[in-house]
């Protein structure tokens, strides 16, 4: 109770100090954590709860075979899952899609939830901080390299960097190394920059005219939130499929 | 003009020039994809994913400029 009271006490002063009100700034200062970490934890807890809820709804396997007839929570969840699975299968093919789908759908849902959280007044998206997005990008980077080595072997994975012909190898190696090294940074910067820019535009227009005018920017914001989660997921799929594809050289000239 | 003025000017110019280049490139990419869809509407599903990847890669350059603009702005 005392903690709650102190939280309430610190809220307004913090809001003025930071230049804007957020619901979580009190919690962040009480825990001595940066705000995006608190929000990231919040989204994680939300994500786990949503997953558990879905699990409970489909606990009875024979009953879960038939989808709900109306628009329910479960239908929404399955719609997102099917959408991402279709995307994965289009790029990777059936066999690989089954293997890597859990990570991909996790990334998509997590980033989408984090992004959309920023549209609720008084919340910042955790993905508008470079620390969060670089962590996600590095995770993808390690994941696809690890699976590339696992599937192709170390030599096979390094052969990817060598280009199509042996005389191009010294040139291609440098280009490929740079392009791979930049991938986590560009993934992180793209997500962070888009979310921050989107939020900034929304802030500026709501400051200029608080009524009605920000509504189109909310719609654009929703679109950007979806698009950035989509792009991040799409690039993850492409990177994984590039690293783990088994080439058959006999069919090429 | 003092250093702060130059910083402010450059941080604005960085984003302006980058947005110009990015907009031209994205316009080209989207126009080509739309032309492809107009010629063959059934290909829209197949064109969509490569178009989005291309747009994302073009956009990332503008985002780099956005970050640089922020860095410059922080120095004022």
């Amino acid at each position: 109770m005392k903690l709650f009271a102190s939280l309430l006490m610190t809220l307004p002063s913090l809001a003025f100090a930071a230049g804007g009100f957020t619901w979580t700034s009190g919690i962040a200062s009480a825990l001595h954590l940066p705000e995006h970490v608190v929000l990231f934890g919040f989204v994680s807890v939300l994500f786990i709860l949503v997953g558990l809820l879905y699990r409970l709804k489909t606990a009875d396997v024979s009953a879960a075979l038939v989808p709900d007839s109306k628009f329910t929570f479960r239908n929404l969840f399955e719609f997102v899952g099917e959408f991402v699975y279709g995307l994965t299968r289009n790029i990777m093919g059936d066999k690989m899609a089954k293997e890597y789908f859990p990570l991909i759908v996790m990334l998509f849902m997590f980033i989408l939830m984090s992004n959309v959280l920023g549209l609720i007044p008084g919340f910042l998206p955790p993905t508008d901080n470079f620390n969060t997005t670089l962590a996600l990008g590095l995770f993808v980077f390690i994941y696809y390299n690890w699976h590339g080595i696992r599937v192709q072997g170390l030599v096979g994975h390094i052969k990817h960097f060598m280009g199509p012909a042996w005389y191009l190898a010294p040139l291609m190696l440098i280009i490929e190394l740079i392009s791979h090294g930049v991938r986590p940074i560009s993934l992180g910067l793209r997500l962070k920059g888009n979310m921050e820019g989107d939020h900034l535009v929304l802030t500026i227009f709501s400051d200029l005219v608080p009524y009605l005018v920000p509504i189109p920017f909310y719609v654009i914001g929703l679109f950007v939130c979806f698009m950035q989660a989509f792009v991040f997921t799409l690039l993850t799929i492409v990177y994984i499929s590039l690293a783990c594809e088994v080439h058959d050289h006999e069919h090429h000239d | 003009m003092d250093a702060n003025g130059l910083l402010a000017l450059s941080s604005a110019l960085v984003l302006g020039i980058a947005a110009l280049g990015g907009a031209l490139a994205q316009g080209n990419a989207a126009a080509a994809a739309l032309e492809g869809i107009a010629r063959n509407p059934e290909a829209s599903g197949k064109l969509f994913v490569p178009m989005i990847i291309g747009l994302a890669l073009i956009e990332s350059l503008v985002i780099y400029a956005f970050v640089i603009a922020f860095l410059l702005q922080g120095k004022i």
Side-chain angles (χ1 to χ4, degrees):
Chain A
M1 202 61 211
K2 202 175 172 187
L3 180 74
F4 186 62
S6 66
L7 279 182
L8 280 181
M9 292 275 282
T10 51
L11 257 177
S13 58
L14 271 171
F16 282 115
F21 168 79
T22 57
W23 297 105
T24 48
S25 56
I27 302 169
S29 72
L31 294 175
H32 298 290
L33 283 172
E35 196 159 344
H36 60 96
V37 176
V38 173
L39 282 159
F40 198 75
F42 177 71
V43 175
S44 307
V45 171
L46 205 67
F47 191 58
I48 291 169
L49 283 181
V50 166
L52 282 178
L53 195 60
Y54 178 74
R55 183 78 194 141
L56 277 179
K57 292 219 171 188
T58 53
D60 185 2
V61 177
S62 58
L65 273 178
V66 183
D68 298 345
S69 57
K70 285 178 193 150
F71 184 75
T72 57
F73 163 76
R74 198 190 134 198
N75 277 350
L76 184 71
F77 214 77
E78 279 168 4
F79 169 70
V80 175
E82 267 178 30
F83 168 72
V84 179
Y85 187 69
L87 190 74
T88 317
R89 203 179 46 195
N90 274 345
I91 298 174
M92 285 182 165
D94 259 330
K95 196 165 146 267
M96 273 169 77
K98 265 181 201 149
E99 201 178 336
Y100 301 110
F101 175 66
L103 173 98
I104 289 162
V105 77
M106 186 274 280
L107 275 176
F108 180 79
M109 285 184 176
F110 197 89
I111 295 171
L112 187 63
M113 277 168 98
S114 317
N115 290 353
V116 169
L117 188 71
L119 289 180
I120 303 168
F123 279 106
L124 289 170
T127 40
D128 80 349
N129 192 299
F130 187 46
N131 296 310
T132 314
T133 54
L134 183 67
L136 288 169
L138 278 175
F139 174 59
V140 169
F141 179 76
I142 293 167
Y143 184 85
Y144 83 75
N145 274 312
W146 180 55
H147 275 278
I149 293 171
R150 186 182 61 86
V151 171
Q152 317 243 7
L154 190 60
V155 179
H157 189 62
I158 291 172
K159 253 186 199 160
H160 266 262
F161 297 85
M162 295 300 191
W166 63 268
Y167 48 83
L168 282 176
L171 193 64
M172 290 302 284
L173 186 68
I174 299 167
I175 295 173
E176 288 282 321
L177 278 181
I178 293 172
S179 110
H180 277 252
V182 156
R183 276 173 185 184
I185 302 167
S186 84
L187 273 179
L189 277 182
R190 182 181 303 116
L191 185 56
K192 178 246 178 202
N194 268 294
M195 294 324 294
E196 194 176 11
D198 177 53
H199 218 77
L200 211 61
V201 170
L202 192 59
T203 313
I204 289 167
F205 274 93
S206 351
D207 273 351
L208 284 177
V209 190
Y211 302 107
L212 287 176
V213 175
I215 292 174
F217 293 97
Y218 267 103
V219 177
I220 294 174
L222 201 59
F223 179 69
V224 169
C225 287
F226 167 74
M227 215 60 219
Q228 288 314 310
F230 181 72
V231 164
F232 195 101
T233 319
L234 198 63
L235 286 173
T236 308
I237 299 170
V238 171
Y239 293 158
I240 293 175
S241 68
L242 278 180
C244 302
E245 236 170 11
V246 181
H247 290 290
D248 39 353
H249 287 288
E250 286 145 25
H251 298 296
H252 296 292
D253 46 352
Chain B
M1 193 184 286
D2 58 343
N4 276 352
L6 279 174
L7 277 172
L9 193 64
S10 62
S11 73
L13 277 178
V14 159
L15 197 50
I17 294 168
L20 175 71
L24 285 176
Q26 288 203 333
N28 271 346
L34 282 178
E35 202 173 314
I37 293 172
R39 278 167 197 261
N40 182 9
E42 284 167 13
S44 64
K46 282 189 177 170
L47 283 174
F48 183 66
V49 167
M51 183 187 82
I52 293 291
I53 293 178
L55 290 185
L57 292 180
I58 296 164
E59 199 181 55
S60 67
L61 298 177
V62 185
I63 297 293
Y64 293 160
F66 179 64
V67 173
I68 298 288
F70 253 89
L71 288 180
L72 287 175
Q73 211 182 18
K75 286 191 175 180
I76 296 174

